[in-house]
Amino acid sequence: GTAPPPAAPAPAPPPARATPTTPDPSASRRRSLLALLAAALVVVAIGAWLRFTAPAPWSFDEYYHLGLAREMRHDLRMDSFWWTPFSTLFDRFVDSTPLFHLLLMPLATLPLELAAALGVLLGQLFVVGAFTWSLWSLRVPRPWWFLLALPALGTLFLQRLEMVRPHVWLIGFT
């Protein structure tokens, strides 16, 4: 007995033909996220530019909220609105938005114009960030257009977005 000759190796399969590739969904999702973040940056930049061109507080409400935050730094629990002696709030004051004033407390020691501008910027970042996150998580097609439309909603919306007010934060929470 002689041993059979070794079997020849099987021929290698032919190289795979180049087929048209389907677009990578994760790559298009990344591009969409980058466009959305760029749109968010543009909206915040527009809002910040509007506010920094007119830095003084825009309403009595801003003076009130920043002033109350400044007073809360000395006494966190305020039960009297002592600087209005003829008001019904003089004896029995209850803060209607204490968390908002707690948020403003670190800014309250800054000069008024800077505190107002930073308070506005924080509110804008929160609203635009919440809207951005909502659009992204709901997988809205072309979400950057919706985000870029925020400043175009009207002068009343934009004016509110430019003020230190708790209502801006409520928009972000809804």
Side-chain angles (χ1 to χ4, degrees), residues 55-124:
W58 289 15
S59 73
F60 293 119
D61 284 350
E62 289 185 324
Y63 286 106
Y64 166 76
H65 291 299
L66 290 168
L68 193 58
R70 186 171 288 169
E71 288 297 319
M72 286 175 67
R73 289 182 62 88
H74 303 293
D75 186 13
L76 187 62
R77 185 173 178 271
M78 295 183 62
D79 52 8
S80 173
F81 211 63
W82 56 267
W83 52 89
T84 57
F86 301 110
S87 168
T88 58
L89 299 176
F90 179 74
D91 289 327
R92 292 180 181 87
F93 173 73
V94 177
D95 188 0
S96 62
T97 54
L99 295 178
F100 178 66
H101 295 128
L102 281 172
L103 178 77
L104 290 178
M105 280 174 56
L107 305 175
T109 57
L110 299 172
L112 186 63
E113 290 83 9
L114 181 60
L118 290 177
V120 166
L121 186 61
L122 283 175
Q124 289 172 354

Side-chain angles (χ1 to χ4, degrees), residues 18-40:
T19 58
T21 59
T22 57
D24 182 16
S26 64
S28 75
R29 187 110 166 110
R30 276 192 302 270
R31 281 192 304 274
S32 180
L33 179 61
L34 287 175
L36 184 62
L37 292 176

